[in-house]
Structure formats: structure tokens, C-alpha cells
């Protein structure tokens, strides 16, 4: 149990376009989902926390208008990188927790975004 | 949440025990010690967590000192597939569902044949 999936696993897009990344909890209800970004040889940096049905809470320095997060259901959250630029190229990871799992976080496999 | 200090890298021979240390001298009484690992280009994987007693599961053992200021993750028989970055994280209890995980740089463990 406690499986989190992400789609796509890899994406290459052109500068100026938008990219949507999906995060799904496959076998539990995710009341909260977390979005992280990880640059090469660096640690995970929390971008935002989203609760189902409410607006996401962004960490300091993360532009909410650039990184749109939607958590419309208990099993799906999406992160849209708008007007992507090469410096947005990174490894994006989501995690989810839920009441049934005593609120422990379970992680998706990550999405590698490359902006050309 | 308390900070943690880990060595940046370690080596271990395949089949031997890997002992990964973590210092968390400012840990509070209700904070847990969590260990995750991240294999290259994958999402983090939960390993184990504990409060003050030693813990063991199918993946590893966690030894927490009596004063709780440090801990050691033990992989009893390391394999090549255990090569990963290991993160030690201290966090409060899951009172509510918005507990953040603060990630350091972890320890890069290389298991050698």
C-alpha cells in the first residue's frame, strides 16, 4: 500500500511553454500533498503544501503564479510550471500523506523536467 | 525542527554492515528521528523512524543514543542496491497533516563489490 505515482516521468519542453505534472495517490486518500524540487547534487527543497480543496501554501521564494498547484481531489494534485525557462529544469517530486497512514509522507518517483 | 549533521559520504563493502551516523544534538523531547534514502533519479524511500527506543524492520535497524543527541542507521548486510543518499531528518509528531520534512544533504553511501 501507500503508492504515489507521477506522470510524466520525463518531459522536455521549449522555453516559454507550460508543463503540467500529475501526482496521484493510488491506494489511499491524500489529504495533503507536498511538491519538492531538486537540482543536481542538491537536497530536496519544499516548494508548496496543498490540502485537498484549498489553496496551496507556498514556501518563501517560490512564485505561486509560476508554479500553479491544484489539489482538486483526494487522489490527485497537479503542478503546472508556466512559461518555463531553462532555469526551471529540475527534478520535481511529490509526496502525499493521509489520515489512514497516520500522516506519514510517501513519495512519488519524480519527474525530470528539461526546458530547452 | 532540529537540525541534523551527517557525513557527506561513506563506503561499505558488499555483504558487510553499513553504519550511518547522524547527530541531532538540539532534538526536542517529542521529536522523532526519521531516515529516508534516495537512489539516483528516484523519489525518496522511507526506511525507519524512532523516538527513543531502538527500532528494527526488514530494511534496517535504528540505534538512538540514550541522550537522543545522535543515532545510527544500520544496514546489516549491504548490497549494491543499497547505494543511495541517506537522509536523517528530525521532525515533530504528526499532530495534524502538515508536518514538513526539512532535508539536508544526507550521506552518499557507496556499496562496493
Amino acid at each position: 500500500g501507500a503508492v504515489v505515482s507521477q506522470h510524466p516521468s520525463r518531459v522536455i519542453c521549449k522555453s516559454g511553454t507550460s508543463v503540467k505534472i500529475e501526482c496521484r495517490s493510488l491506494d489511499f486518500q491524500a489529504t495533503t500533498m507536498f511538491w519538492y524540487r531538486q537540482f543536481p547534487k542538491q537536497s530536496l527543497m519544499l516548494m508548496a503544501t496543498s490540502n485537498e480543496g484549498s489553496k496551496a501554501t507556498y514556501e518563501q521564494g517560490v512564485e505561486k503564479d509560476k508554479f500553479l498547484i491544484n489539489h482538486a481531489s483526494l487522489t490527485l494534485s497537479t503542478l503546472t510550471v508556466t512559461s518555463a525557462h531553462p532555469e526551471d529544469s529540475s527534478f520535481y517530486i511529490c509526496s502525499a500523506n493521509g489520515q489512514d497512514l497516520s500522516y506519514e509522507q510517501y513519495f512519488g518517483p519524480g519527474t525530470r523536467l528539461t526546458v530547452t | 525542527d532540529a537540525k541534523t549533521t551527517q557525513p557527506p559520504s561513506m563506503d561499505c563493502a558488499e555483504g558487510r554492515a553499513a553504519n550511518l551516523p547522524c547527530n541531532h544534538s538540539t532534538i526536542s523531547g517529542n521529536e522523532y528521528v526519521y531516515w529516508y534514502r534516495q537512489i539516483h533519479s528516484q523519489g525518496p524511500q522511507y526506511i525507519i523512524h524512532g523516538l527513543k527506543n531502538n527500532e528494527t524492520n526488514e530494511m534496517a535497524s535504528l540505534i538512538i543514543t540514550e541522550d537522543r543527541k545522535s543515532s545510527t542507521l544500520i544496514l546489516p548486510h549491504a548490497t549494491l542496491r543499497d547505494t543511495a543518499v541517506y537522509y536523517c531528518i528530525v521532525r515533530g509528531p504528526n499532530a495534524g497533516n502538515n508536518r514538513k520534512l526539512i532535508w539536508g544533504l544526507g550521506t552518499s553511501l557507496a556499496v562496493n563489490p
Side-chain angles (χ1 to χ4, degrees), chain A residues 95-115:
Chain A
S95 70
N97 67 16
Q99 185 176 7
D100 292 346
L101 300 171
S102 301
Y103 298 113
E104 299 296 349
Q105 282 191 38
Y106 292 86
F107 288 81
T111 296
R112 175 77 59 191
L113 170 63
T114 303
V115 185

Side-chain angles (χ1 to χ4, degrees), chain B residues 25-104:
Chain B
S25 58
T26 60
I27 192 170
S28 299
N30 65 347
E31 289 182 315
Y32 290 77
V33 180
Y34 278 77
W35 284 84
Y36 288 83
R37 73 180 182 184
Q38 186 178 25
I39 295 171
H40 182 64
S41 293
Q42 296 185 23
Q45 177 188 22
Y46 166 82
I47 301 173
I48 199 168
H49 76 280
L51 183 62
K52 45 186 174 180
N53 296 326
N54 298 336
E55 302 287 344
T56 295
N57 62 21
E58 64 277 4
M59 288 183 70
S61 294
L62 174 60
I63 308 298
I64 302 174
T65 57
E66 193 169 340
D67 63 8
R68 303 209 322 124
K69 292 185 177 182
S70 64
S71 61
T72 301
L73 178 75
I74 301 173
L75 307 179
H77 304 287
T79 70
L80 298 179
R81 288 178 295 179
D82 292 322
T83 292
V85 178
Y86 288 76
Y87 296 95
C88 168
I89 299 173
V90 170
R91 59 178 289 189
N94 272 319
N97 57 8
N98 285 333
R99 294 302 299 169
K100 299 177 185 179
L101 294 173
I102 308 300
W103 301 76

